[in-house]
């Protein structure tokens, strides 16, 4: 047994903030693994996902949900998905390998992002100040996902419906991103 | 006396009184007033001084075209110059001061300029400030700077905040007058997403300024009823106080919303928001702007646009004067007479430039058909006017209508040119409109109310049907059709006095004529020569009459004379709004390393590298100079062990069956045969053969590599790899994803690094020199099962490792490394020590990989792969990159060891003059080496490797430095790398 | 400007990075005997049309696709947007 222990720290130490009816919360109990499709392997991967997760792989820009590990498949690029799922004891890529074998190239992204949820009636109004994407429910309905640029930061946004959004932004700039979100909410309250 | 000019009616709330100050005097007004209407209500005609001649000036308009009534609003750091009083909503405690006078507004000392006016005509600057030569910098420029501009900045940082944002809609309607409201009705009823932007604080446009009836209601009643329907629509966004200032590509509109400018205090909320509006279709309903007629002394306070006079009387219940005369070339002048008479205001005369019968005769008024006003009298405001027939008419206000210019500005922002229409004597939108834009109402040249209502309603329907919505029912309310009846009349030729065209920049008819005489007869030349239309109002009123004068001088028609180009912004936008929230610490985001919090606790000093904040050095008590921190960090690392956060290096995860082939193609040295569990240095070239980036790449498995890049090039290398993968070799099975943020990575360097790591690495992993030699890598666990990657690589030249853990453990790992290193007196080191050590070792970095150097220049020719087709291989062989004289990388040390080398200095042979001809190279990086105890440098010198031991001069003409230096190997320290392999 | 991404729909230009002429896809064969000349032409000789231009844009803050955008340099009108990978495959670049 080593004399030293490494304690876990999340990007924002699990911050939770409430402004009127808008809530901002860091999500710290989910893992992220990117899945790239081997050349010519779309069908193989697809079948493996259906069999292990009982869901179809989504199109680019869409999210598909599975009850297995509460997994969400995000269509990020023509040959790339992110799978976001409940964190457990095992290493994230090991977990995916155990489900999908060698049908895809897996890369752990769990520590690459700060994951935040913003929700409440004014959350879309607050995001108007930083997000160039049209978030109107007719254009960006529930389970839409995309990456865009917010205040110089590449950010992934997922609509969870009902004025709730999941935001993924680079971990190293998590503090700045939080400030950006806070200011946007403060400015519209 | 309070509000002597206030009359009955109007859209003001008389139950509430607002107190405000102008030039220190306290006045009263009501909610609904603008600063201009409240000043007029209180009989304040004189509101400012003109730019060049310091002439007394009053309020001319009731909108954003105002050239005269520009004030400094608010106090102290909040103060904003050149604010249009005509657009400023009155609020309790408002403070404004007049501009551009020395001494009081009434007795301006600079009014002497008016007497000098014969010398201040068009082209004055170009003619006067030419000689004597020496005068420009010492006399002229300071004098011009002192008198330039109207208002004054506070000189303090702006304490207000601003924001930006993005809005999306199907239909953007620009302008909330008759046409805009009608368009909003049809567009809104269709269910489309609509934004209705209106620059005024109250919707309605001319409908609330006139007494026209529609559908049996007053304009105001119709507006109220329409707004009731529109505000109930959830698909429509109302944006009053919002100026659409520019039309950009693909349906994007630049828009400024004034959020809190109308409040006494903004309570730290943004003053203004700069919106980027994305629209599928836009309907321009921007209305029209009235223009003056030029005649002698037509700039006196009290001379006002007729439409503005009606707006003040009808909307604001203020009469701009007690005895008002009217000068017109169209029927609007007569409507003004009727409105004034109905309000009980005395009309002293109606002077119509047209011949023919009088339309009405207000009681007691002189009516002069075919009349000309040649002059006005009155020192601080008009008292009387003189006609060409010799008649003198008393008046304290003169309402002038020279016709209306459709507001075509936004139709021209994408290169469109307006077209002239003789029947209304004005330019109207051309056919080359911005994509998706249509124009309705007065902006389209339909100056009557019926036309505006019909065109607006139709435009809303056409636009929504165009994008797939169904047609909505709409019947334009009935209204009396009024003819414009204009007969173009621009200026009174009989006037011997100066006649103003551009009130804000003090440009007269004579100035335009002079410009023409002196050869500046092209419209763009005339504009620059006279400065006409170059003030903050951009000549909204002045441009067309000036074109008419120019056309006459050149014997051309107005359309042949053409217009100057309309560019954004339509009206001025504060710089603060363009900056938005990007100020101070919010200017851009920071990226923090995993050890940041710990480094702050150690009182580290940070340096910005791109967006990253990196620890530069870690000061210790008793140290007074940064050199002491750096020297200690270097020496202790070389003596025992040091730790440095290297997380910022780019890390790219590369996977696929073709990953080895891909690396062979993007690196200039071979990677295909790199064994699993090994790391190799890689040099990447650009296609032109110049070095692009370098780093190490480790092979984690048959199909998986992890590449590192320099901190600076992490993004561009990733972009390049994606280009190669998608565009050049789409048949390869290879994928790249950034893992820079995924791992916290620390360099552990120094003779005791293995022993330090031995205390962390779990016992099943053998990191002995035999089991884990130089350039080995492995996926291991540390501290009882935490996954980690260990690389035996060295930038410092010492026995060294880089250890990476998932970033969630990064903060803990730096603390553990320091704790585990305690027995060895471990030292954290920053970027400066890192740099010193790499220079001592002769490793190239940013100064050497500067976009000009090749592998050969860097002394890495031996590295180049012989067999494969990699990026840059063909063009690196060009003669121009391979001639004998090319500067190559060498080391330099001063002959006199007490002197210092400077980065950027040039290399000159001894005994030669320091000129470009004698330039032999340059110094790219320097360090004060604590290991060697003297200054060392890396640099590039012609025929470098064959000149070992030569003495040259290192010359820095900027600082007058000239140091003799010896050419040595760039590997100053441990050239054989023995320390790496122990 | 707005680029109508073939997979994601209209997106603001600020999400993209510009590279240059789409002919950069057509990297010459280095084994060809005139490789030096071909590479020189490939890298340095460009049409500079006042009008329709096919050019490479990278959706850096989006899906990381390289796109071939057909744009009129006079009006900024964009008439076609394709995935550059498809263009490259169509040009026979799969080895």
């Amino acid at each position: 047994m080593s004399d030293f222990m490494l304690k876990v720290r999340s990007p924002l130490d699990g911050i939770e903030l409430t402004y009127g009816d808008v809530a901002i919360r860091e999500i710290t109990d989910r893992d992220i693994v990117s899945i790239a499709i081997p050349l010519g392997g779309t069908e193989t991967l697809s079948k493996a996902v259906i069999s292990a997760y009982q869901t179809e792989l989504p199109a680019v820009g869409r999210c598909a949900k599975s009850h297995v590990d509460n997994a969400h498949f995000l269509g990020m690029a023509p040959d790339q998905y992110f799978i976001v799922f409940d964190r457990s004891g095992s290493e994230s890529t090991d977990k995916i390998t155990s489900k999908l074998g060698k049908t895809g190239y897996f890369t752990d992204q769990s520590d690459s992002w700060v994951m935040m949820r913003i929700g409440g009636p004014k959350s879309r109004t607050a995001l108007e100040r930083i997000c160039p994407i049209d978030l109107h429910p007719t254009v960006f309905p529930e389970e839409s996902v995309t990456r865009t640029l917010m205040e110089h930061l590449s950010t992934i946004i997922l609509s969870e419906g009902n004025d709730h959004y999941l935001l993924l932004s680079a971990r190293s700039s998590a503090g700045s991103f939080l400030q950006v979100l806070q200011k946007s909410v403060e400015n519209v309250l | 006396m309070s509000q002597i000019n206030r009359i009955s009616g109007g859209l003001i709330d008389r139950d509430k009184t607002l107190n405000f100050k102008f030039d220190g005097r306290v006045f009263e007004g009501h909610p609904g007033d603008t600063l201009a209407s409240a000043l007029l209500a209180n009989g304040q005609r004189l509101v400012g001084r003109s730019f060049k001649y310091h002439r007394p000036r009053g309020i001319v308009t009731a909108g954003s075209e105002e050239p005269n009534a520009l004030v400094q609003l608010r106090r102290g750091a909040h103060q904003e110059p050149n604010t249009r009083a005509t657009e400023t909503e009155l609020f309790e405690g408002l403070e404004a001061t007049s501009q551009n006078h020395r001494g009081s507004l009434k007795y301006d000392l600079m009014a002497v300029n008016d007497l000098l006016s014969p010398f201040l005509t068009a082209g004055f600057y170009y003619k006067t400030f030419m000689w004597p030569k020496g005068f420009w910098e010492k006399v002229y420029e300071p004098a011009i700077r002192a008198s330039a501009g109207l208002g004054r900045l506070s000189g303090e940082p702006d304490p207000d905040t601003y924001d930006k944002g993005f809005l999306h809609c199907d239909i953007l309607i620009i302008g909330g007058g008759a046409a805009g409201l009608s368009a909003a009705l049809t567009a809104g009823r269709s269910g489309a997403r609509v934004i209705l932007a209106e620059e005024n604080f109250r919707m309605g446009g001319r409908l609330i300024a006139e007494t026209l009836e529609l559908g049996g209601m007053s304009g105001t009643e119709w507006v109220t009823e329409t707004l009731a329907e529109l505000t109930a629509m959830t698909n429509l966004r109302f944006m009053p106080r919002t100026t659409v200032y520019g039309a950009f590509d693909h349906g994007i509109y630049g828009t400024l919303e004034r959020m809190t400018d109308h409040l006494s205090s903004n309570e730290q909320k943004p003053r203004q928001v700069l919106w980027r509006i994305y629209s599928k279709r836009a309907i321009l309903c921007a209305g029209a702007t009235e223009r003056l007629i030029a005649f002698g002394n037509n700039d006196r306070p009290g001379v006002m646009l007729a439409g503005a006079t009606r707006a003040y009387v009808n909307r604001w219940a203020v009469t701009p004067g007690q005895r008002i005369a009217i000068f017109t070339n169209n029927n609007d002048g007569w409507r003004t007479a009727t409105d004034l008479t109905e309000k009980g205001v005395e009309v002293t005369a109606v002077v119509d430039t047209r011949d023919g019968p009088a339309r009405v005769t207000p009681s007691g008024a002189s009516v002069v058909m075919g009349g000309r006003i040649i002059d006005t009298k009155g020192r601080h405001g008009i008292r009387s006017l003189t006609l060409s027939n010799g008649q003198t008419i008393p008046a304290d206000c003169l309402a002038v209508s020279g016709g209306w210019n459709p507001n075509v500005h936004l139709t021209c922002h994408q290169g469109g040119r307006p077209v002239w229409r003789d029947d209304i004597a004005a330019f109207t939108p051309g056919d080359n409109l911005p994509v998706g834009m249509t124009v309705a109402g007065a902006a389209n040249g339909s100056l009557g109310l019926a036309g505006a209502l019909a065109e607006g309603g139709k435009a809303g329907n056409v636009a929504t049907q165009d994008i797939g919505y169904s047609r909505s029912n709409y019947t334009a309310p009935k209204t009396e059709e009024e003819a414009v009846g204009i007969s173009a009349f621009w200026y009174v030729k009989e006037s011997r006095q100066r006649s103003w065209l551009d009130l804000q920049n003090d440009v007269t008819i004579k100035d335009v004529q002079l410009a023409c005489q002196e050869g500046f007869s092209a419209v763009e030349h005339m504009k620059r020569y006279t400065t006409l239309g170059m003030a903050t109002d951009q000549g909204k009123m002045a441009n067309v009459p000036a074109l008419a004068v120019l056309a006459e001088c050149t014997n051309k028609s107005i359309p042949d004379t053409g217009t100057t180009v309309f560019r954004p912004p339509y009206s001025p936008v504060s710089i603060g709004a363009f900056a938005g929230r990007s100020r101070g610490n919010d200017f851009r985001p920071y990226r923090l390393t995993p050890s940041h919090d710990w480094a702050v606790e150690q009182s580290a000093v940070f340096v910005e590298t791109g967006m990253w904040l990196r620890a530069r050095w870690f000061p210790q008590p008793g140290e007074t100079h940064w050199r002491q921190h750096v020297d200690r960090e270097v020496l202790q690392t070389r003596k025992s062990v040091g730790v440095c956060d290297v997380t910022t290096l780019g890390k790219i995860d590369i996977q696929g069956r073709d990953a080895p082939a891909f690396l062979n193609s993007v690196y200039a040295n071979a990677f295909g045969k790199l064994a699993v569990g090994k790391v190799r240095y890689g040099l990447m070239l650009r296609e032109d053969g110049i070095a692009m980036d370098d780093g190490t790449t480790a092979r984690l498995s048959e199909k998986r590599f992890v590449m590192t890049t320099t901190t600076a090039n992490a993004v561009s290398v990733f972009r390049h790899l994606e280009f190669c993968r998608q565009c050049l070799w789409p048949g390869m099975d290879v994928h790249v994803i950034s893992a820079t943020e995924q791992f916290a990575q620390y360099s552990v360097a120094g003779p005791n690094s293995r022993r330090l790591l031995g205390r962390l690495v779990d016992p099943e992993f053998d990191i002995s020199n035999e089991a884990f030699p130089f350039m080995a890598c492995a996926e291991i666990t540390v501290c009882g099962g935490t996954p980690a990657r260990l690389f035996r690589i060295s930038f410092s030249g010492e026995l060294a490792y880089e250890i990476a853990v998932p970033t969630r453990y990064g903060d803990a790992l730096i603390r553990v490394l320091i704790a585990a290193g305690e027995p060895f007196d471990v030292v954290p080191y920053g970027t400066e020590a890192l740099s010193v050590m790499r220079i001592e070792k002769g490793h190239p970095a940013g100064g050497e990989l500067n976009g000009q150097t090749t592998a050969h220049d860097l002394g890495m020719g031996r590295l180049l792969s012989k067999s494969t087709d990699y990026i840059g291989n063909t063009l690196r062989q060009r003669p121009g990159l391979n001639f004998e004289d090319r500067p190559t990388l060498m080391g330099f040390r001063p002959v006199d060891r007490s002197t210092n080398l400077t980065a950027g200095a040039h290399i000159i042979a001894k005994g030669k003059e320091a000129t470009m001809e004698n330039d032999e190279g340059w110094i790219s990086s320097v360090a004060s080496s604590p290991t060697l105890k003297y200054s060392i440098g890396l640099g590039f010198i012609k025929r470098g490797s064959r000149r070992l031991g030569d003495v040259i001069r290192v010359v820095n003409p900027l600082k007058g430095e000239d140091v003799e230096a010896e050419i040595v190997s760039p590997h100053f320290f441990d050239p054989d790398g023995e320390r790496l392999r122990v | 400007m707005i680029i109508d991404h073939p997979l994601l729909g209209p997106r603001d230009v600020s999400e993209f990075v510009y590279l240059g002429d789409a002919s950069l896809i057509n990297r010459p064969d280095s084994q060809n005997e005139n490789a030096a000349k071909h590479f020189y032409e490939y890298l340095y000789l460009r049409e500079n049309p006042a009008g329709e231009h096919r050019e490479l844009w990278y959706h850096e803050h989006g899906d990381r696709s390289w796109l071939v955008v057909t744009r009129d340099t006079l009006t900024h009108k964009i008439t076609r947007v394709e995935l550059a990978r498809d263009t490259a495959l169509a040009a026979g670049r799969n080895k």
Side-chain angles (χ1 to χ4, degrees), chain B residues 570-688:
Chain B
Y570 171 72
S571 57
V573 179
S574 306
I575 299 291
F578 285 116
R581 56 168 83 165
S582 303
R583 292 172 21 175
N585 275 336
D586 292 327
F587 180 66
R588 65 173 184 185
Y590 289 109
R591 299 176 78 181
L592 304 181
T593 67
S595 65
H596 186 83
D597 287 354
W598 173 85
V600 170
E601 291 163 25
Q602 311 311 310
S603 310
V605 173
F606 294 90
V607 59
E608 288 186 29
T609 54
M611 291 206 290
W612 289 103
L613 283 184
R614 300 184 73 182
R616 193 171 193 180
W617 46 66
F618 295 85
Q620 286 287 305
E623 293 174 343
T624 54
H625 192 278
W626 65 269
R627 278 281 308 282
Q628 294 171 301
H629 320 319
V630 175
D631 289 357
R632 171 180 50 74
E633 289 170 16
V634 170
L635 292 171
Q636 184 62 14
T637 300
R638 295 221 184 279
K639 181 178 159 209
S640 179
V641 61
V643 178
C644 181
D645 191 332
V646 292
T647 302
T648 60
L649 293 176
K651 310 177 199 77
I652 301 172
D653 192 71
I654 302 173
Q655 295 194 65
R657 295 186 296 273
D658 294 317
F662 182 70
L663 287 170
N664 270 346
S665 302
V666 296
Y667 272 133
N669 50 325
F671 269 82
K673 295 193 177 115
L674 180 67
V676 172
K678 288 289 182 189
V679 188
R680 183 170 289 170
Y681 172 82
L683 179 69
M684 213 176 270
L685 302 186
R686 309 190 309 215
E687 195 66 272
D688 64 1

Side-chain angles (χ1 to χ4, degrees), chain C residues 2 6 10 13 15-16 22 34-35 43 50 54 58 71-72 76 80 82 85-86:
Chain C
I2 292 172
V13 73
E15 295 178 351
F16 296 84
N34 287 321
L43 203 60
R54 293 179 78 234
Y58 176 55
R71 181 180 67 103
D72 190 311
H76 294 185
R80 205 167 164 195
E82 305 146 90
R85 189 168 187 278
D86 293 345

Side-chain angles (χ1 to χ4, degrees), chain A residues 4 9 37 39 105-107 109 111-112 128-129 132 134 171-172 176 180 183-184 186-187 189, chain B residues 163-164 166 168 193 237 269 581 586 590-592 597 653 655 731 733 735 738 741-742 783 808:
Chain A
F4 303 100
R9 251 187 102 176
I37 313 174
L39 195 69
Y105 300 123
F106 310 132
T107 306
Q109 292 273 296
D111 293 58
S112 300
E128 271 174 1
R129 298 293 172 92
D134 188 354
R171 177 176 183 126
S172 63
S176 290
V180 164
K183 179 151 271 184
S184 302
E186 285 163 7
N187 280 355
L189 283 184
Chain B
D163 207 355
K164 291 190 193 179
F166 307 86
H168 302 260
R193 287 164 69 197
R237 182 174 185 136
K269 291 284 187 277
R581 56 168 83 165
D586 292 327
Y590 289 109
R591 299 176 78 181
L592 304 181
D597 287 354
D653 192 71
Q655 295 194 65
D733 179 47
H735 290 274
S738 170
E741 306 266 342
Q742 179 66 22
C783 301
R808 74 187 80 164

Side-chain angles (χ1 to χ4, degrees), chain B residues 871-894:
Chain B
I871 299 249
N873 185 35
T874 304
L875 290 180
R876 74 167 178 82
Q877 299 171 42
R878 286 180 288 170
L881 296 182
N882 292 284
F883 59 91
E884 200 196 357
D885 246 11
R886 259 188 96 77
T888 51
L889 181 67
M890 296 301 292
F892 298 86
R893 64 180 179 202

